[in-house]
Amino acid sequence: MRTDHIIIEFDRALRTLFAPATTTREVPGSRAPEAALSDEEKAHAGALMRINHVGEVCAQALYQGQALTSRDPQLRLALAQAAGEETDHLAWTEHRLAELGERTSLLNPLWYLGALTIGTAAGKLGDPWSLGFLAETERQVEAHLDSHLRDLPMQDIKSRAIVEQMRSDEIAHAETAVRLGARELPAVMKRVMKLASLLMTRTAYHL
């Protein structure tokens, strides 16, 4: 990899972790009134949005690692487009955390490094397997967002609007991966991914 490419990718990582994220789309629910939440409900909603923010940090790293190792220019373009939408998600969750008076995860650099390593390893297996990993990741994220829609306070329209739009985008990402030739991952790999996701979500809820 050329030196200028390394600098660009390093700058991307720093921006993801330490710079305020920007969005090309209006924050879903931004025009809705703030809900009357109890302290407990507010803290719970904030913790769930922190988990979602961590997921978007990981998504940036995963897409970055896969794009770096992809052999197909069309796939690299698709990954870049999906990463752009994930950047919107990053900005939306960051914005909502601030509104709820909550912070992002203290372990974001660790989450990013782990996801970048996984994304790079998946990419090295070849584009079909990399796409299969992407599709399964998005399916698991969809299930995870479904659970948040069940757990978020019903009156928290702002948080729910963000999660609903994120869910719609993740479904589209999975469909794109399948269309581009994703291979179905072995069942054991899917279980490992679920266990890793469970560890991340339980930790990020508090940290």
Side-chain angles (χ1 to χ4, degrees):
M1 189 184 299
R2 296 184 305 173
T3 302
D4 58 345
H5 198 178
I6 293 174
I7 293 173
I8 290 171
E9 297 302 330
F10 185 65
D11 178 71
R12 181 176 301 171
L14 291 177
R15 289 178 181 274
T16 298
L17 291 170
F18 302 114
T22 58
T23 177
T24 59
R25 293 178 283 174
E26 182 178 13
V27 179
S30 60
R31 302 186 188 188
E34 188 63 67
L37 301 173
S38 67
D39 290 344
E40 182 178 350
E41 288 174 328
K42 194 173 183 179
H44 181 57
L48 294 179
M49 296 309 288
R50 178 165 51 249
I51 291 171
N52 291 330
H53 184 268
V54 167
E56 298 309 322
V57 168
C58 290
Q60 290 296 312
L62 283 169
Y63 281 121
Q64 183 181 12
Q66 289 176 292
L68 286 171
T69 50
S70 174
R71 302 164 179 81
D72 184 348
Q74 182 185 8
L75 176 54
R76 288 197 297 271
L77 178 60
L79 290 169
Q81 291 173 339
E85 292 187 349
E86 301 289 1
T87 301
D88 287 345
H89 299 174
L90 191 69
W92 299 346
T93 52
E94 187 178 294
H95 176 80
R96 187 59 185 148
L97 280 169
E99 290 182 331
L100 291 167
E102 288 288 338
R103 54 166 175 77
T104 58
S105 174
L106 300 173
L107 302 178
N108 274 344
L110 179 62
W111 303 130
Y112 189 94
L113 180 60
L116 180 63
T117 301
I118 293 170
T120 302
K124 286 184 176 296
L125 293 175
D127 288 339
W129 287 114
S130 179
L131 286 165
F133 180 81
L134 191 156
E136 180 60 25
T137 297
E138 299 293 23
R139 292 186 191 115
Q140 292 192 16
V141 170
E142 178 191 350
H144 150 85
L145 293 175
D146 282 340
S147 72
H148 281 198
L149 288 172
R150 292 192 296 269
D151 289 347
L152 280 166
M154 289 302 298
Q155 70 272 30
D156 187 1
I157 299 173
K158 286 178 172 287
S159 296
R160 298 180 69 84
I162 290 171
V163 173
E164 286 169 355
Q165 184 57 56
M166 288 170 58
R167 179 182 181 277
S168 177
D169 290 344
E170 307 300 3
I171 291 173
H173 296 166
E175 292 173 347
T176 297
V178 171
R179 186 175 68 252
L180 291 174
R183 286 187 182 176
E184 191 71 19
L185 296 185
V188 64
M189 179 59 68
K190 294 180 182 180
R191 288 196 294 270
V192 169
M193 291 170 66
K194 287 182 179 179
L195 288 173
S197 176
L198 182 62
L199 174 63
M200 183 273 284
T201 55
R202 288 187 174 179
T203 304
Y205 186 90
H206 301 285
L207 299 176

